[in-house]
Amino acid sequence: MAEVTLGQIAARFGLVLRGEPATPIVAVAELERASKGSLAYLADTRHRRFLATTAASAVVLDAASAADCPVAALIAENPRAAYARIAAWLYPAPALEPGIHPSAVVAADAAVAASAEIGAQAVVGAGARIGARVLVGPGSVVGAGAELGPDTRLEARVTLYRGVRIGARCLLHAGCVIGADGFGIARDQDGWVKVPQLGAVLIGDDVESGANTTIDRGAIGDTVIEDDVKLDNQIQIGHNVRIGAHTAIAACVGISGSTTIGKRCLIGGQAGIAGHLEIADDVVVLGQAMVSHSIHKAGAYAAAVPASEAGGWRRVVARLRHLDELFDRVRRLERQRPPQDPEQP
């Protein structure tokens, strides 16, 4: 990154600066590992113990913490978001090299903007449309009729099946597969019959999808990912799922087909969501939870057993095996209990 000053950062991002505006910043760093010339941030109270001894030249933090900051302070209402914007400005994505690599294969009728970059051994299918300043990374495949909006980036070996449509400023990390067939099969007397998956995948603007995440195409209608959805690595999204705008989903979540997830939801890692459900806006599902019923009210939901000492957990499991027996015993005792006089206390 190029050297900038604290004054330039404060002016660009509308932050209050307590310190010398001419102080140079040449890097960003963690609060406890920062050195002179670096910018750190404090957003988590667990890291507050590192503030007094930090060697950073400046720290992004909130007004309540600024009085305890021993170095220059950039004061923000939301320090983490402010830091994210600053870091993105200081460390921009590598500039594109417009053009088509000699080893790429591009269909004659594909429309590729002159400002786009098509990487080595990439494939662009018939009728595909590649927008302005798009990156199709090395080894990536853009299927027939697929569309990529301006400033979208496909990293290495991303696969878009036919008819997939992706909006502007999206980022798909290595190994993403968008538009593969959903798990549609019908049982017959001789086994299974594949149900044709005839829909597509429609992805809005500003969506990010982590490495090796998969989003299945719709069976008849489309699978839809709305604007500003953030997906972590290794997530499976089934056919005809709809995910509302500004929702964030952590790694290794599985979402079964035809489920609708509302706007601004947060789904924790390794959660499982059954099919044909509806989840309201502003729902938080904690990590490893299993959602088997629709959720119609905003709030936080959990259904996982937290880790505990192994011996104690084994005793709990042993007792669970006798739960039916205990239930039957209690029911028998209640039936044998004589009726109580309602007038007696």
Side-chain angles (χ1 to χ4, degrees), residues 297-331:
K297 183 179 178 181
Y301 296 81
V305 177
S308 58
E309 189 273 328
W313 173 243
R314 292 190 186 100
R315 288 192 295 274
V316 170
V317 172
R319 290 165 181 163
L320 284 173
R321 295 193 182 106
H322 298 285
L323 188 60
D324 286 344
E325 177 186 335
L326 177 62
F327 175 81
D328 290 341
R329 182 180 177 186
V330 170
R331 186 165 55 181

Side-chain angles (χ1 to χ4, degrees), residues 11 14 78 80 134 181 183 215 222 225 260 290 306 308 310 344:
N78 185 337
R80 181 173 173 82
V134 164
D181 280 359
F183 192 51
I215 305 175
D222 299 321
I225 311 297
T260 296
M290 178 61 212
S308 58
Q344 293 183 356

Side-chain angles (χ1 to χ4, degrees), residues 60-308:
V60 182
L61 35 59
D62 60 23
S65 302
D68 298 323
C69 185
V71 297
L74 287 166
I75 301 172
E77 290 186 9
N78 185 337
R80 181 173 173 82
Y83 165 79
R85 294 187 179 97
I86 295 168
W89 177 55
L90 297 178
Y91 294 88
L96 295 185
E97 298 180 7
I100 300 172
H101 192 277
S103 65
V105 178
V106 179
D109 63 347
V112 179
S115 57
E117 177 183 344
I118 310 299
Q121 299 184 338
V123 176
V124 179
R129 302 179 66 84
I130 309 297
R133 300 171 301 282
V134 164
L135 169 66
V136 178
S140 292
V141 176
V142 179
E147 299 182 13
L148 294 172
D151 298 299
T152 282
R153 301 176 68 95
L154 310 185
E155 300 295 345
R157 299 190 181 279
V158 173
T159 300
L160 307 183
Y161 278 63
R162 69 188 187 281
V164 168
R165 299 211 305 267
I166 297 179
R169 301 174 302 280
C170 293
L171 174 58
L172 276 64
H173 289 278
C176 285
V177 178
I178 312 298
D181 280 359
F183 192 51
I185 52 176
R187 185 182 289 278
D188 196 12
Q189 58 184 2
D190 297 323
W192 297 102
V193 178
K194 181 177 177 62
V195 178
Q197 304 293 288
L198 305 176
V201 176
L202 309 182
I203 295 179
D205 298 337
D206 302 299
V207 171
E208 181 168 353
S209 180
N212 294 323
T213 281
T214 58
I215 305 175
D216 292 344
R217 68 190 314 106
I220 299 177
D222 299 321
T223 301
V224 178
I225 311 297
E226 295 184 1
D227 294 348
D228 195 38
V229 168
K230 307 301 181 186
L231 305 173
D232 200 356
N233 300 333
Q234 297 181 320
I235 293 170
Q236 159 61 21
I237 298 175
H239 57 190
N240 296 102
V241 166
R242 187 178 192 102
I243 299 178
H246 316 297
T247 285
I249 302 178
C252 299
V253 168
I255 305 172
S256 299
S258 300
T259 281
T260 296
I261 296 176
K263 302 179 189 299
R264 300 175 301 278
C265 292
L266 299 175
I267 312 296
Q270 297 185 333
I273 301 177
H276 300 272
L277 304 184
E278 294 186 6
I279 296 179
D281 296 343
D282 301 301
V283 164
V284 177
V285 175
L286 301 187
Q288 297 188 326
M290 178 61 212
V291 181
S292 58
H293 297 84
S294 292
I295 298 174
H296 299 296
K297 183 179 178 181
Y301 296 81
V305 177
S308 58

